[in-house]
Amino acid sequence: MDVKARDCVPNIEQSSEEDHMELRRGPWTVEEDFKLIDFIATHGEGRWNSLARCAGLKRTGKSCRLRWLNYLRPDVRRGNITLQEQLLILQLHSRWGNRWSKIAQHLPGRTDNEIKNYWRTRVQKHAKRLKCDVNSKQFKDTMRYLWMPRLLERIQASATASTTNSTSVVRTVSNDDPLGGAAQVTSSSYTLENSSTTAASSDSFGTQVSPVSDFTDYYSSSSSNNNISVKNPNPNFLEATQELSGYYYNHGTDFQSLEQNNPWLDTMDASNNLFNAEDFHFLQQQFNFNM
DNA sequence: AATGTGCACAACCGCAAACGG
DNA sequence: TCCGTTTGCGGTTGTGCACAT
């Protein structure tokens, strides 16, 4: 903690006086943001309760801390969660569950709040629509065996696209959605379940459509072979992906039985079943990922 | 144009752990 | 060791926007 912030502890009179002060709640104003930024710039962060008082903010320390960490902090990144990050979130969540802060530590610039929101709004939404529990084995398996490979595939595809046509290719991939491609799988599922023929196209599983360039910064495909090659990769992503590949390798039979026994897939027309031999081939390719 | 609905995200709340006198 | 305060975390709620009806 910054020494100056520590020194800025109000006396008792001030404290009791301000206990009666009306505290502001709700959205922060620009003025409040500036006050907080200015104060932290000169005094540093920490001791949030006294910081709030000293900065003249009619906010709780908690509120100030949250505002700083989730929004004002200079290194915070918001919006446009990349495919790479999406895959990492799915992977880390399958490992740690709702340990948002722990997951966030592996995504530089991302806050636990944002990841939590992402999970609730995107991933849980799919579970809800599939009428299953996000914590169920079925859902977890589907994430692991269907969506995550799909993400990998899309990352690979985008990497290829970025190099084969680096100047003009602009794919309208729903970059915010974990399952833009995989969404075809899930939407196919409930399209049939709900007897709706339009769900796949009319349902906006990711509301924002981002150009592929949002994540191509992270990748460049290898020219020498078909393996994915990553330039300046996020080491966490690399580790997660390799672990994923290893998982498939070690669970080959489970993988096949899942495909045979998954009731969601049973409801799908074979032509719509994107989880097919092609995917299996794709996963086999992943075994050689960056090895 | 008005209203309803769903979504994404910011912010709050309660609790527990960590800290410090 | 105790106890008050601070910090951190995960769950939940509130709000504004976009789109559909």
Side-chain angles (χ1 to χ4, degrees):
Chain A
M1 186 187 69
D2 189 275
V3 175
K4 287 175 185 172
R6 188 202 308 270
D7 289 345
C8 187
V9 179
N11 59 35
I12 292 173
E13 288 136 77
Q14 186 183 0
S15 187
S16 62
E17 179 188 322
E18 290 184 2
D19 282 345
H20 298 93
M21 185 174 69
E22 188 94 3
L23 287 173
R24 274 185 52 78
R25 293 177 59 191
W28 280 63
T29 64
V30 177
E31 289 77 18
E32 288 177 310
D33 281 346
F34 277 128
K35 271 188 183 178
L36 184 56
I37 291 168
D38 280 348
F39 191 88
I40 290 177
T42 52
H43 297 93
E45 57 181 276
R47 302 278 296 195
W48 293 102
N49 282 331
S50 59
L51 183 153
R53 287 190 291 265
C54 293
L57 288 161
K58 296 175 180 178
R59 296 274 182 175
T60 65
K62 264 185 152 182
S63 181
C64 293
R65 175 182 167 272
L66 212 61
R67 182 65 177 171
W68 174 254
L69 292 178
N70 287 343
Y71 197 87
L72 299 175
R73 201 161 39 102
D75 57 334
V76 74
R77 295 170 57 219
R78 289 181 294 125
N80 272 348
I81 294 180
T82 65
L83 295 174
Q84 179 187 2
E85 288 173 319
Q86 291 171 34
L87 179 60
L88 197 49
I89 290 170
L90 295 183
Q91 168 69 8
L92 295 178
H93 187 276
S94 73
R95 190 192 298 175
W96 294 321
N98 296 359
R99 303 284 304 277
W100 307 118
S101 62
K102 191 168 183 177
I103 293 171
Q105 287 171 6
H106 291 75
L107 288 107
R110 299 294 184 185
T111 67
D112 54 350
N113 210 33
E114 183 166 26
I115 293 167
K116 181 170 58 184
N117 281 331
Y118 166 79
W119 183 265
R120 288 187 60 79
T121 57
R122 315 290 173 80
V123 181
Q124 285 197 349
K125 180 176 70 181
H126 287 282
K128 191 179 173 185
R129 283 176 172 165
L130 290 166
K131 295 185 172 67
C132 73
D133 189 336
V134 279
N135 297 316
S136 68
K137 184 177 184 302
Q138 228 173 33
F139 189 77
K140 286 176 179 174
D141 281 348
T142 302
M143 263 200 323
R144 176 169 275 155
Y145 294 114
L146 296 178
W147 296 354
M148 288 159 77
R150 271 296 163 200
L151 274 170
L152 266 176
E153 186 181 26
R154 292 177 62 207
I155 289 167
Q156 186 182 35
S158 65
T160 304
S162 71
T163 51
T164 54
N165 197 347
S166 60
T167 53
S168 62
V169 170
V170 178
R171 295 179 58 203
T172 52
V173 174
S174 179
N175 191 29
D176 273 4
D177 193 273
L179 322 169
Q184 297 170 54
V185 175
T186 54
S187 59
S188 299
S189 301
Y190 65 76
T191 294
L192 293 169
E193 285 168 6
N194 298 337
S195 302
S196 162
T197 56
T198 57
S201 56
S202 65
D203 192 283
S204 56
F205 283 110
T207 56
Q208 295 176 11
V209 176
S210 307
V212 75
S213 59
D214 283 345
F215 48 85
T216 49
D217 288 345
Y218 294 89
Y219 299 101
S220 174
S221 70
S222 168
S223 57
S224 59
N225 56 38
N226 290 329
N227 297 339
I228 298 174
S229 173
V230 180
K231 236 182 225 172
N232 303 321
N234 177 340
N236 298 316
F237 168 70
L238 209 53
E239 183 195 341
T241 314
Q242 285 169 335
E243 182 180 313
L244 188 60
S245 301
Y247 191 91
Y248 296 136
Y249 182 79
N250 293 325
H251 295 73
T253 45
D254 291 339
F255 174 82
Q256 287 175 315
S257 70
L258 174 92
E259 185 174 10
Q260 287 160 6
N261 301 325
N262 192 324
W264 301 343
L265 299 180
D266 287 346
T267 65
M268 295 161 60
D269 183 271
S271 62
N272 287 330
N273 188 348
L274 300 179
F275 191 61
N276 51 23
E278 192 183 326
D279 284 316
F280 190 77
H281 175 67
F282 164 74
L283 291 173
Q284 284 177 319
Q285 285 185 316
Q286 303 310 311
F287 297 159
N288 298 322
F289 180 86
N290 228 25
M291 288 170 146

